[in-house]
Amino acid sequence: MPQPIFPEHTHDFSEIFIVTQGIGLHVLNGRPYTLCPGTVCYIKSEDYHLFDNVSGLNLTNVLYRSISEFKYLNNINQFLPVNNKDKGSHWLLNKTNFIKSQKIIDKLSKVTGNDIAEEESLFFQLLVTLQEGKYNTITDGSNEQKMMQVFHYQKTRNMTKNQGAISS
């Protein structure tokens, strides 16, 4: 179901969303971000956000409780943006990790509430997959970061081409 224009709001939970199709504008804590397929966003429970100028925008949402309430996961802050006011709340996901993340989310949606270990394990796999496939679209502008983005893009592109040649 497409995401409608939605007024500014908050939640009593944190969430990760991944844009699966369409485009739109997401305003998080007063800062606008353009959304397109492959965009990942982390939203903390204290954040406020809205959606505007949407066109065929479809999201996959993963809601999660406070990090302190996890039973088996500890010290996972390194996998989550600490402060959404910085440059880390939105990024693009490469195609390989986009596909992996959707498979993990499908598994996560089928876990019953009785298997907390499996649920937390899949959530951790999702966090790692999102970090591994990260394309920073907003950088500090340093030449080093720009070059790393180019190398990462080329590596992913070459791997995809090689996989296509092998499977043909």
Side-chain angles (χ1 to χ4, degrees):
M1 175 174 212
Q3 171 68 44
I5 292 175
F6 206 86
E8 188 171 84
H9 62 284
T10 61
H11 304 283
D12 61 353
F13 51 83
S14 295
E15 102 182 84
I16 300 167
F17 72 72
I18 302 170
V19 178
T20 56
Q21 49 182 326
I23 57 172
L25 179 70
H26 183 236
V27 180
L28 178 64
N29 298 327
R31 186 173 179 184
Y33 297 90
T34 302
L35 300 177
C36 63
T39 302
V40 175
C41 177
Y42 282 83
I43 303 170
K44 297 182 298 189
S45 59
E46 62 268 16
D47 290 334
Y48 55 95
H49 68 122
L50 63 90
F51 293 95
D52 201 3
N53 297 326
V54 298
S55 176
L57 184 65
N58 284 286
L59 310 174
T60 298
N61 295 71
V62 177
L63 314 179
Y64 61 98
R65 58 192 172 274
S66 169
I67 293 170
S68 63
E69 293 180 34
F70 283 100
K71 184 172 182 176
Y72 300 104
L73 292 179
N74 295 306
N75 303 318
I76 61 170
N77 282 334
Q78 66 190 23
F79 297 99
L80 299 166
V82 177
N83 180 356
N84 281 348
K85 292 182 178 105
D86 67 10
K87 301 174 186 172
S89 63
H90 291 72
W91 65 79
L92 286 176
L93 194 58
N94 69 39
K95 187 174 181 177
T96 301
N97 287 62
F98 176 83
I99 293 167
K100 283 182 187 178
S101 69
Q102 292 302 307
K103 288 178 181 178
I104 294 168
I105 291 168
D106 287 345
K107 288 179 187 176
L108 195 53
S109 70
K110 294 174 183 157
V111 175
T112 66
N114 299 336
D115 197 346
I116 295 171
E118 183 178 12
E119 184 177 68
E120 289 188 17
S121 171
L122 288 167
F123 183 72
F124 184 68
Q125 289 175 44
L126 177 63
L127 294 179
V128 170
T129 299
L130 296 177
Q131 289 295 321
E132 285 177 345
K134 186 176 187 177
Y135 281 133
N136 285 321
T137 56
I138 303 171
T139 68
D140 66 8
S142 73
N143 287 336
E144 181 181 3
Q145 275 204 356
K146 290 176 185 175
M147 290 304 297
M148 290 306 294
Q149 290 297 87
V150 170
F151 289 141
H152 187 68
Y153 170 78
Q154 287 295 341
K155 177 182 171 189
T156 304
R157 184 174 169 184
N158 289 337
M159 286 174 54
T160 304
K161 281 183 179 179
N162 290 342
Q163 288 174 349
I166 292 170
S167 62
S168 303

